[in-house]
């Protein structure tokens, strides 16, 4: 049993480290006890003038100095020195003390009859033996040898004295040895069991149940320990691109299995100074002690791990990961995690399936974004937004059919801001609902003064279709308040609107059409499931994205695609509007497909209401074919824009 206990400690480095730490856990108690013992022995030498006592006193002082020195050595070098060395030093000190103390007691009893000397020796030795069990009872190996060295020579001397009281004391000491030896192993096993139970619970609390990697808590502790020790520390934030789609389409069981496989692939390339964690959802983290150039290689390697598809059950999935890298050395953990996130966001924004190292410019962009987000809330209250309108013309009559309302923000210090800057912010912080309601109300208000045939269209964000927002009520109130005929109003949506709650969005669109309002599918052809969504959505108009128009005058493939789309729209009896017409050549090519309407910089750029009112009922002239074409920047897709 004792051999088994010894092997338990030997083959469990963490347990052995804890046991050794316990040997050095009372840095003042051992030197103080050694000093007292030395003084007692020295006092006996002073009283008797006995050279043996003087020698024992010197030996005890030397042993005390040795043990004090090992205490200091341990505290200074415990993380960089062998645990076994400190263990052996503790053994040597404890056994030398026990043997010296036993010799002192035995010599005093056998060589002196002075009651003062004998009383001092017996009391000191018995007190020392009694304390052994309390100090080291969880370590059978050291305890049993220590108590034997301390008790047997002294008990032998007591018995040899043939004094009844001393014989009784010797018997008690021998009984103490037996009890200590028999109980130390039991106490040790209890200690080990409690330690392992506590460690298992601690590991469970710090381990992710799906991947068996560290969880957020375990990762934070690992990084904090590295930072506190001054070690070089890099953080890599690894995010599985578009993981939500896997969960939504294949279920959470497949998603969990995929996460486990991702964890295995990441773990397969980690080195000795690396540790990985899953900190939540599809987010993984790696902490590394590598040099900067090696960390870059590691990030690139992890990205490349997912170049090949992954088989999960019967499904074969093609996934990618994006990674943000930050140097955490000499930084606070909170700041380092923020830097890592900013680098990850940049990698995502740049197209995913790549890694990005943190640079200070990312913090500057983030701070600007936060400031802009705060300004956005004030802008709505202070009325800094206005609508511009871009007309949509009939290709035959060259008259305006309807005007698309586009949001503009006149920032007090930054000037005119593109919807591409503020619409994503509004969608993220929930302000898009207020901004969208404002756009609908103002667009309908503008249409009041236009001739009856001219309508108005308003872009609507997918975030406005949330169940906690009554979009239908907003439109209905605007119609009632302005008195605009419902058939003059068109709500534009993109196929991405259906991404989160398709059934609810479709039901809402049916309710909008029930009001008499039209629905247009905007940016057709830019998504991944255009045809399926086209078939499901209740729509009245189809807006062809400018991507099909750019090369339509010169590309046979572009014209072939337009023919296919035109045929589809014709079969479904859905009128078609072509966006992005910027040159006479494009206009001429587009007219061959007989669209319902055309829109683009060739005819007009977005303009305030005061500028569009004078031309609202005029026929537009198309420039001659040989006239230099006018081009412009692509209209930013924006909700409520």
């Amino acid at each position: 049993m004792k051999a088994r206990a010894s092997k338990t400690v030997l083959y469990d480095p963490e347990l052995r480290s804890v046991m050794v730490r316990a040997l050095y856990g009372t840095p003042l108690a051992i030197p103080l006890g050694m000093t007292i013992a030395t003084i007692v022995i020295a006092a006996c030498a002073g009283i008797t003038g006995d050279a043996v006592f003087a020698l024992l006193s010197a030996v005890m002082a030397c042993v005390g100095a040795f043990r004090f020195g090992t205490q200091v050595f341990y505290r200074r070098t415990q993380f960089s020195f062998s645990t076994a060395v400190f263990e052996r030093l503790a053994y040597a000190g404890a056994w030398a003390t026990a043997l010296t103390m036993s010799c002192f007691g035995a010599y005093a009893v056998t060589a002196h009859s002075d009651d003062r000397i004998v009383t001092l020796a017996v009391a000191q030795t018995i007190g020392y033996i009694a304390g052994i069990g309390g100090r080291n009872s969880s370590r059978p190996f050291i305890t049993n040898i220590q108590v034997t060295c301390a008790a047997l020579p002294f008990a032998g001397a007591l018995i040899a004295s043939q004094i009844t009281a001393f014989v009784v004391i010797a018997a008690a000491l021998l009984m103490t040895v037996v009890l200590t030896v028999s109980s130390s192993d039991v106490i040790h096993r209890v200690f080990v069991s409690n330690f392992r139970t506590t460690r298992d619970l601690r590991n469970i609390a710090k381990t992710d149940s799906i991947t068996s990697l560290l969880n957020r808590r375990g990762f934070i502790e690992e990084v904090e320990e590295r930072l506190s020790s001054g070690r070089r520390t890099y953080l890599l934030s690894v995010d599985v691109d578009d993981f939500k789609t896997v969960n939504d389409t294949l279920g959470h069981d497949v998603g969990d299995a995929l996460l486990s496989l991702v964890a295995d692939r990441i773990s397969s390339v980690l080195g000795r100074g690396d540790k990985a964690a899953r900190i939540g959802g599809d987010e993984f983290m790696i902490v590394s002690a590598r040099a900067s150039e090696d960390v870059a290689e590691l990030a690139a390697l992890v990205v490349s791990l997912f170049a090949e598809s992954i088989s999960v059950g019967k499904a074969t999935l093609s996934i990618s990961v994006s990674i943000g890298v930050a140097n955490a050395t000499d930084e606070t953990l909170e700041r380092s995690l923020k830097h890592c996130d900013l680098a990850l966001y940049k990698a995502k924004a740049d197209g995913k399936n790549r890694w990005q190292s943190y640079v200070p410019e990312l913090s500057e962009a983030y701070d600007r974004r936060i400031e802009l987000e705060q300004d956005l809330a004030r802008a709505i209250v202070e009325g800094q937004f206005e609508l511009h309108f871009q007309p949509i013309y009939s290709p035959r009559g060259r008259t305006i059919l309807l005007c698309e309302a586009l949001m503009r923000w006149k920032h007090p210090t930054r000037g005119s801001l593109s919807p591409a800057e503020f619409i994503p912010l509004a969608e993220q912080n929930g302000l898009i609902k207020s901004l969208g309601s404002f756009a609908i109300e103002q667009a309908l208000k503008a249409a009041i003064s236009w001739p009856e045939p001219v309508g108005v269209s308003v872009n609507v964000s997918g975030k406005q279709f949330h169940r906690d927002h009554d979009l239908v009520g907003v439109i209905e109130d605007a119609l009632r308040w302005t008195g605009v005929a419902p058939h003059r109003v068109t709500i534009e949506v993109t196929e991405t609107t259906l991404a989160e709650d398709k059934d609810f969005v479709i039901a809402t669109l049916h309710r909008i059409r029930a009001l008499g309002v039209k629905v247009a599918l905007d940016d057709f052809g830019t998504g991944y499931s255009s045809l399926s969504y086209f078939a499901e959505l209740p729509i009245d108009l189809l807006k062809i994205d400018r991507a099909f128009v750019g090369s339509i005058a010169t590309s046979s493939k572009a014209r072939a695609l337009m023919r296919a789309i035109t045929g589809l729209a014709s079969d479904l009896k859905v009128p078609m509007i072509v966006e992005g017409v910027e040159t006479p050549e494009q206009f001429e090519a587009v007219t061959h497909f007989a669209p319902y309407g055309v829109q683009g910089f060739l005819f007009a750029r977005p303009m305030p209401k005061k500028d569009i009112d004078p031309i609202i009922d005029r026929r537009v002239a198309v420039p001659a074919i040989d006239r230099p074409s006018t081009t412009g920047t692509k209209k930013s897709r924006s909700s409520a824009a």
Side-chain angles (χ1 to χ4, degrees):
M1 186 68 71
K2 293 177 184 177
R4 186 186 304 167
S6 178
K7 289 182 179 180
T8 296
V9 178
L10 184 62
Y11 294 114
D12 190 332
E14 185 180 2
L15 174 58
R16 189 175 189 182
S17 178
V18 171
M19 301 292 274
V20 171
R21 197 180 311 132
L23 295 175
Y24 293 90
T26 54
L28 295 179
I30 291 177
L32 182 60
M34 299 293 293
T35 300
I36 293 173
T38 301
I39 292 173
V40 169
I41 299 173
C44 291
I47 294 173
T48 62
D50 192 325
V52 176
F53 282 143
L55 176 62
L56 290 173
S57 175
V59 171
M60 187 64 79
C62 290
V63 174
F66 168 78
R67 300 188 72 180
F68 178 75
T70 58
Q71 287 277 0
V72 174
F73 183 48
Y74 175 78
R75 289 198 300 273
R76 291 182 178 178
T77 62
Q78 59 174 307
F79 295 111
S80 58
F81 217 79
S82 171
T83 299
V85 171
F86 288 114
E87 191 173 46
R88 294 188 187 99
L89 291 175
Y91 289 171
W95 295 338
T97 302
L99 191 57
T100 304
M101 187 62 69
S102 184
C103 289
F104 165 60
Y107 179 73
V109 169
T110 57
H112 289 273
S113 58
D114 189 329
D115 290 341
R116 295 173 300 171
I117 302 302
V118 174
T119 300
L120 277 174
V122 171
Q124 182 66 35
T125 307
I126 291 176
Y128 173 78
I129 294 172
I132 291 175
R135 287 192 299 270
N136 298 317
S137 58
S138 63
R139 301 298 302 273
F141 181 62
I142 184 174
T143 300
N144 296 343
I145 295 178
Q146 188 177 9
V147 74
T148 300
C149 290
L152 291 186
F154 181 51
L158 292 175
I159 294 172
S161 69
Q162 297 184 354
I163 299 174
T164 304
F166 285 177
V167 173
V168 172
I169 292 173
L173 287 176
L174 294 175
M175 184 62 69
T176 299
V177 172
V178 173
L179 293 176
T180 301
V181 170
S182 62
S183 64
S184 61
D185 186 65
V186 175
I187 295 174
H188 174 73
R189 283 189 282 113
V190 171
F191 178 87
V192 170
S193 176
N194 289 340
F195 170 82
R196 286 184 165 171
T197 299
T198 302
R199 183 175 61 182
D200 290 345
L201 292 174
R202 185 176 69 247
N203 289 339
I204 290 173
K206 296 193 299 183
T207 302
D208 176 58
S209 58
I210 294 177
T211 63
S212 298
L213 299 177
L214 293 174
N215 59 16
R216 175 180 289 273
R217 175 182 174 182
F219 182 77
I220 294 299
E221 289 183 7
E222 175 69 24
V223 176
E224 286 180 336
E225 180 181 337
R226 295 189 183 210
L227 292 177
S228 63
S229 65
R231 298 162 63 188
R232 180 171 56 202
T233 304
Y234 277 87
L235 301 182
L236 294 83
S237 179
V238 184
D239 188 83
V240 181
D241 298 327
D242 303 317
F243 177 75
K244 184 177 184 299
T245 304
V246 176
N247 269 345
D248 291 345
T249 58
L250 300 177
H252 289 275
D253 289 343
V254 174
D256 290 348
L258 175 60
L259 291 175
S260 181
L261 292 173
V262 169
D264 290 343
R265 288 198 179 183
I266 292 175
S267 299
S268 69
V269 298
L270 298 184
R272 183 176 182 182
D274 307 324
K275 279 197 176 181
R278 174 176 174 254
I279 60 174
D282 59 341
E283 300 175 61
F284 294 83
M285 293 289 295
I286 300 172
V287 58
S288 177
R290 306 185 188 201
S292 59
E293 58 273 14
D294 294 330
V295 170
E297 290 181 5
L298 175 61
L301 179 58
V302 172
V303 171
S304 69
L305 289 175
F306 301 94
E308 297 181 1
S309 58
I310 294 180
S311 296
V312 184
K314 297 181 179 179
T316 300
L317 305 176
S318 295
I319 66 167
S320 63
V321 298
S322 299
I323 302 178
V325 181
N327 185 355
T329 312
D330 301 325
E331 294 276 7
T332 63
L333 176 59
E334 181 179 2
R335 189 176 182 84
S336 300
L337 289 174
K338 177 183 175 182
H339 289 172
C340 213
D341 285 341
L342 291 176
L344 175 62
Y345 297 154
K346 176 64 174 172
K348 291 277 192 182
D350 286 348
K352 305 177 182 178
N353 191 28
R354 66 193 65 227
W355 68 276
Q356 169 70 48
S357 185
Y358 170 79
V359 291
E361 289 78 10
L362 295 179
S363 285
E364 295 171 7
Y366 175 78
D367 293 340
R368 184 178 185 274
R369 179 186 179 91
I370 295 300
E371 183 180 350
L372 192 64
E373 193 169 328
Q374 295 170 346
D375 291 346
L376 182 62
R378 289 194 296 269
I380 295 176
V381 176
E382 297 174 2
Q384 297 174 12
F385 291 97
E386 68 173 357
L387 293 184
H388 284 201
F389 298 89
Q390 186 177 28
I392 298 173
Y393 286 90
S394 165
R396 292 185 177 181
R398 313 276 177 80
T399 55
I400 296 177
L401 298 171
L402 70 160
C403 298
E404 181 178 0
L406 303 166
M407 186 71 73
R408 295 293 183 266
W409 180 5
K410 289 185 176 180
H411 194 280
T413 60
R414 301 181 185 181
S416 181
L417 295 181
S418 165
E421 287 192 76
F422 64 83
I423 291 298
L425 286 178
E427 289 180 329
Q428 290 175 12
N429 61 23
L431 291 175
I432 191 63
K433 296 171 184 176
S434 299
L435 201 57
S437 298
F438 169 82
I440 292 171
E441 293 168 1
Q442 294 302 308
L444 269 62
K445 181 181 177 181
I448 295 174
S449 61
W450 298 340
E452 177 66 25
V454 179
V456 65
S457 66
V458 186
N459 294 292
V460 177
S461 164
K463 303 297 182 182
Q464 292 173 257
F465 283 87
H466 281 188
R467 295 176 182 268
D468 61 352
H469 179 64
D470 186 7
L471 176 60
V472 178
V474 170
I475 298 172
E476 194 171 15
D477 289 344
L479 290 170
R480 186 184 305 112
W481 175 62
T482 60
V484 175
H487 71 270
R488 296 178 59 197
V489 180
T490 300
I491 297 297
E492 296 189 21
V493 299
T494 63
E495 58 196 65
T496 55
T497 300
L498 281 73
E500 294 186 9
D501 196 344
K502 184 178 70 172
D503 293 339
F504 178 74
V505 171
I506 291 176
T508 302
L509 291 177
H510 278 296
R511 292 175 59 203
I512 291 174
R513 294 184 76 205
L515 297 175
V517 174
K518 297 176 182 177
V519 175
L521 179 60
D522 197 10
D523 294 343
F524 181 79
T526 60
Y528 296 103
S529 305
S530 299
L531 294 180
S532 63
Y533 283 157
F534 188 24
E536 292 185 72
L537 281 173
I539 60 174
D540 303 283
L541 293 170
L542 181 66
K543 297 190 74 175
I544 307 302
D545 187 75
R546 64 176 55 248
F548 289 94
V549 180
S551 59
I552 194 169
T554 58
S555 171
S556 59
K557 290 184 178 180
R559 290 192 293 272
L561 287 172
M562 278 295 296
R563 280 194 295 271
I565 295 172
T566 301
L568 179 64
S570 176
D571 290 343
L572 295 176
K573 296 181 174 56
V574 178
M576 185 175 67
I577 295 173
V578 180
E579 298 181 290
V581 179
E582 298 180 351
T583 68
E585 292 84 2
Q586 290 174 352
F587 174 67
E588 184 179 31
V590 164
T591 56
H592 290 297
F593 299 99
Y596 168 72
V598 289
Q599 179 182 11
F601 292 151
L602 177 64
F603 309 105
R605 292 175 178 272
M607 62 190 80
K609 183 179 184 300
K610 65 181 179 62
D611 294 333
I612 202 172
D613 283 349
I615 66 170
I616 199 73
D617 56 357
R618 294 180 186 175
R619 186 176 184 273
V620 68
V622 178
I625 297 297
D626 58 353
R627 180 178 173 179
S629 62
T630 302
T631 59
T633 56
K634 175 179 168 64
K635 179 194 78 176
S636 298
R637 156 54 44 190
S638 60
S639 305

